[in-house]
């Protein structure tokens, strides 16, 4: 198990460019299963979760051509359907949450798929009911295989229908879209997730010959087609990495430019940091975060304490609450964070409390942060990364802390952030990987 050794207190300055979006990459890579033609995808992040998914596709017979950094061509011309039912395939799926996105395309094109409970972050219950219900609406049958803890899903022919999703699940919406594009008739999905990465998936599928309308809204209409063809697709910059860099710049920055962020696809992320008092300038498609000697948390118009809560798009993504909490520890003022969508993501604040942060964990979903206004620096410590987003938040805390910190289980960070120690090292960070 690898660790990061972080020497805190070194200011960061310079220019950094975000990687391609992890969540979009997982969706569009799986979409390549919908056709036997070549699908070229660029700006793919070279991170652990993506590499594991690509290896899984290769195992089932997808031809993968790696043509350069972030540049891949996929050709799903000869899929080994027998391997999909093997114990080895099930075991690999169980260790990778992104594997669940293979179900929709496999069901659409081949009429069958196998699903087991996928792995991923330890952030509480992440149910798959929305996926299952959507496939059932389309006419798929489920059979539990006793002794293997897997479900076999099959359908002779998917048929379009109207469905109201029980939650605006991002992966659930993506999976149902990919299943519906070749279903017979018209599918209407209400309460669909509508974040930029879902929009990107829909645009890519339309270029492949799908007929999807309502893109960008929570009401999608999909007219089924008999086949899809190849295409080329470019992945957006990762909004979560952009937000992580804003947080780093606020805490330890001495002037940082975040380049080519696709500002129109960031939603309210910059404004969430501005509510904590962080100054952010915009220049073209770049964000410039100047040195922040002090930043003061806003209050609501009636003077009550600021509350930041996660919500489905276009609300604040839950993936950035961990970073915002760390940034708030050195702000002037207090803020209540309300994590509504996952039940265990706030437990990492115990580690920040050990580092000297003033945080009251009210319950598994709410925490109050009382900022130090930089009067008291966080203390270095030894900690472990419980998930991707808490891991990057702890890395930011360690970079701002007094002394040398160790973060263990950094494989979690590697799942979502490409070569992060080298990229931050170019800005002046002192981070060493220890195996």
């Amino acid at each position: 198990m690898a660790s990061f050794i972080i020497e805190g207190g070194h200011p960061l300055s310079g220019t950094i460019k975000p990687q391609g979006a992890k969540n979009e990459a997982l969706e569009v890579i799986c979409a390549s299963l919908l056709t036997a033609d070549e699908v070229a995808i660029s700006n793919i992040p070279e991170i652990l979760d993506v590499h594991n998914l690509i290896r899984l596709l290769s195992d089932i017979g997808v031809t993968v051509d790696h043509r350069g950094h972030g540049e891949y061509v996929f050709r799903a011309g000869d899929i080994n359907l027998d391997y999909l039912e093997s114990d080895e395939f099930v075991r690999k799926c169980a260790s990778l949450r992104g594997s669940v996105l293979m179900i929709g395309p496999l069901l659409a094109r081949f009429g069958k798929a196998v699903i087991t409970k996928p792995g991923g972050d330890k952030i509480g219950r992440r149910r798959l009911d929305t996926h299952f219900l959507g496939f059932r609406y389309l006419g798929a049958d489920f059979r539990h295989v006793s002794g293997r803890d897997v479900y076999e899903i099959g359908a002779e022919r998917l048929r379009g229908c109207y469905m109201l999703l029980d939650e605006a699940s991002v992966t659930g919406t993506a999976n149902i879209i990919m299943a519906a594009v070749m279903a017979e008739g018209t599918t209407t999905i209400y309460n669909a997730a509508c974040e930029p990465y879902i929009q990107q998936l829909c645009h890519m599928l339309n270029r492949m010959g799908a007929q999807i309308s309502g893109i960008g809204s929570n009401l999608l209409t999909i007219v089924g087609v008999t086949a899809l063809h190849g295409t080329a697709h470019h992945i957006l910059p990762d909004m979560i990495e952009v937000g992580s860099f804003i947080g780093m710049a606020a805490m330890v920055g001495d002037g940082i430019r975040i380049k080519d962020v696709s500002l129109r696809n960031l939603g309210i992320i910059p404004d969430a940091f501005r509510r904590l008092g962080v100054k952010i300038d915009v220049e073209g498609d770049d964000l410039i975060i100047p040195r922040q000697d002090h930043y003061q948390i806003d209050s609501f118009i009636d003077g009550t304490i600021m509350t930041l809560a996660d919500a489905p798009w276009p609300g604040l993504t839950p993936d950035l609450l961990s970073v915002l909490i760390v940034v708030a520890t050195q702000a002037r003022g207090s803020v209540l964070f309300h994590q509504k969508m996952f039940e265990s993501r706030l437990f990492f604040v115990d580690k920040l409390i050990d580092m000297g942060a003033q945080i009251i964990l009210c319950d598994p979903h709410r925490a109050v942060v009382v900022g130090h206004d930089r009067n008291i620096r966080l203390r270095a410590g030894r900690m472990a990364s419980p998930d991707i987003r808490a891991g990057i938040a702890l890395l930011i805390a360690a970079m701002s802390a007094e002394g040398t910190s160790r973060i263990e289980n950094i494989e979690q960070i590697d799942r979502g952030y490409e070569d992060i120690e080298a990229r931050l090292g170019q800005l002046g960070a002192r981070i060493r990987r220890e195996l």
Side-chain angles (χ1 to χ4, degrees):
M1 186 179 293
S3 302
F4 279 150
I5 310 300
I6 305 102
E7 187 179 305
H10 295 280
L12 309 184
S13 62
T15 298
I16 193 165
K17 184 175 180 178
Q19 67 189 26
K22 171 198 168 187
N23 292 338
E24 180 185 341
L26 298 176
E27 295 171 13
V28 299
I29 289 171
C30 288
S32 68
L33 290 167
L34 287 164
T35 178
D37 294 346
E38 288 189 350
V39 176
I41 305 176
S42 57
N43 202 32
I44 291 179
E46 304 280 2
I47 56 177
L48 190 59
D49 271 11
V50 170
H51 288 163
N52 286 341
L53 179 62
I54 291 173
R55 277 194 288 269
L56 192 57
L57 291 185
S58 180
D59 288 342
I60 68 172
V62 177
T63 301
V64 180
D65 184 5
H66 190 188
R67 295 187 174 178
H69 187 84
E71 309 283 335
Y72 289 80
V73 175
F74 302 91
R75 191 175 185 279
D78 187 18
I79 300 300
N80 183 350
L81 297 178
D82 292 334
Y83 182 74
L84 297 176
E85 299 177 6
S86 69
D87 289 338
E88 182 181 3
F89 176 75
V90 169
R91 176 179 54 79
K92 289 180 178 179
C93 288
S95 64
L96 175 64
R97 183 161 187 83
S99 64
V100 73
L101 288 162
M102 297 170 61
I103 301 170
L106 290 171
L107 193 58
R109 187 171 164 207
F110 301 106
K112 66 177 183 178
V114 177
I115 184 173
T116 186
K117 185 177 180 180
D121 292 323
K122 306 305 180 185
I123 56 176
R125 197 167 48 93
R126 301 175 77 177
R127 61 191 184 89
L128 297 176
D129 299 59
T130 303
H131 305 246
F132 280 25
L133 291 171
F135 297 145
R136 278 191 172 133
Y137 283 135
L138 293 171
D141 295 319
F142 289 76
R143 185 175 71 86
H144 183 255
V145 181
S146 58
R148 296 181 67 201
D149 196 25
V150 300
Y151 286 90
E152 292 180 350
I153 311 172
E156 288 187 11
R157 182 68 168 143
L158 297 177
R159 289 179 171 81
C161 64
Y162 169 87
M163 64 180 79
L164 173 62
L165 301 188
D166 62 332
E167 64 172 350
S169 163
V170 176
T171 54
T173 299
N175 235 343
I176 295 166
I177 290 169
M178 289 188 283
V181 289
M182 289 197 289
E184 183 179 303
T186 299
T187 301
T188 303
I189 308 173
Y190 197 21
N191 195 31
C194 55
E195 65 170 14
Y197 306 144
I198 291 289
Q199 298 174 39
Q200 285 279 97
L201 172 66
C202 290
H203 289 309
M204 173 183 168
L205 292 172
N206 279 351
R207 290 195 303 273
M208 295 171 70
Q211 297 182 33
I212 306 171
S213 58
I215 299 171
S217 75
N218 68 348
L219 181 61
L220 294 174
T221 301
I222 304 170
V223 179
V225 298
T226 56
L228 298 181
H229 52 74
T231 191
H233 180 78
H234 186 79
I235 291 174
L236 288 174
D238 195 310
M239 69 171 79
I240 312 303
E241 193 169 73
V242 172
S244 302
F245 293 155
I246 295 173
M248 292 176 193
M251 290 284 282
V252 293
D254 193 19
I256 290 179
R257 177 186 290 267
I258 309 172
K259 193 166 183 59
D260 299 333
V261 301
S262 188
L263 184 62
R264 68 185 183 87
N265 288 301
L266 291 182
I268 64 172
I269 288 172
D271 285 338
F273 284 95
R274 290 183 177 113
R275 287 189 171 188
L276 297 183
V278 177
K279 181 175 175 54
I280 302 174
D281 297 323
V282 177
E283 189 175 291
D285 211 22
D286 298 353
L287 297 181
I288 300 170
I289 296 87
R291 179 185 177 91
Q292 317 272 326
D293 291 320
H294 297 278
Y295 46 99
Q296 181 160 345
I297 297 170
D298 288 344
S299 59
F300 288 115
I301 293 174
D302 62 0
T304 54
I305 185 172
M306 174 58 59
T307 300
L308 291 177
D310 61 336
W313 184 270
L316 179 62
T317 171
D319 286 346
L320 277 177
L321 281 192
S322 302
V323 172
L324 287 160
I325 287 171
V326 170
V327 173
T329 65
Q330 293 301 315
R332 179 184 296 159
S334 301
V335 57
L336 169 66
F337 289 94
H338 193 170
Q339 168 62 271
K340 299 177 181 178
M341 297 172 67
F342 299 102
E343 59 197 14
S344 303
R345 261 191 167 164
L346 293 184
F347 290 155
F348 88 102
V349 303
D350 286 350
K351 301 173 178 63
L352 297 178
I353 293 170
D354 290 342
M355 297 176 76
Q358 296 186 43
I359 302 175
I360 303 166
L361 185 60
C362 307
D363 55 47
H365 293 279
R366 295 177 301 161
V368 175
V369 181
V370 181
H372 289 312
D373 191 22
R374 299 198 186 275
N375 290 321
I376 305 173
R377 284 181 62 185
L378 297 178
R379 299 186 298 269
R382 183 167 184 158
M383 59 208 91
S385 172
D387 63 77
I388 300 174
R389 309 310 175 186
I392 203 69
L394 292 173
L395 181 61
I396 296 171
M399 287 192 293
S400 73
E402 188 172 10
T404 300
S405 298
R406 175 187 288 267
I407 301 178
E408 299 172 342
N409 195 31
I410 60 170
E411 289 80 4
Q412 287 285 359
I413 301 175
D414 290 337
R415 288 179 48 221
Y417 293 85
E418 180 182 329
D419 198 16
I420 192 65
E421 71 271 30
R423 295 163 69 205
L424 295 181
Q426 293 176 350
L427 300 179
R430 303 284 181 87
I431 305 170
R432 186 179 80 255
R433 181 181 293 260
E434 190 172 276
L435 301 177

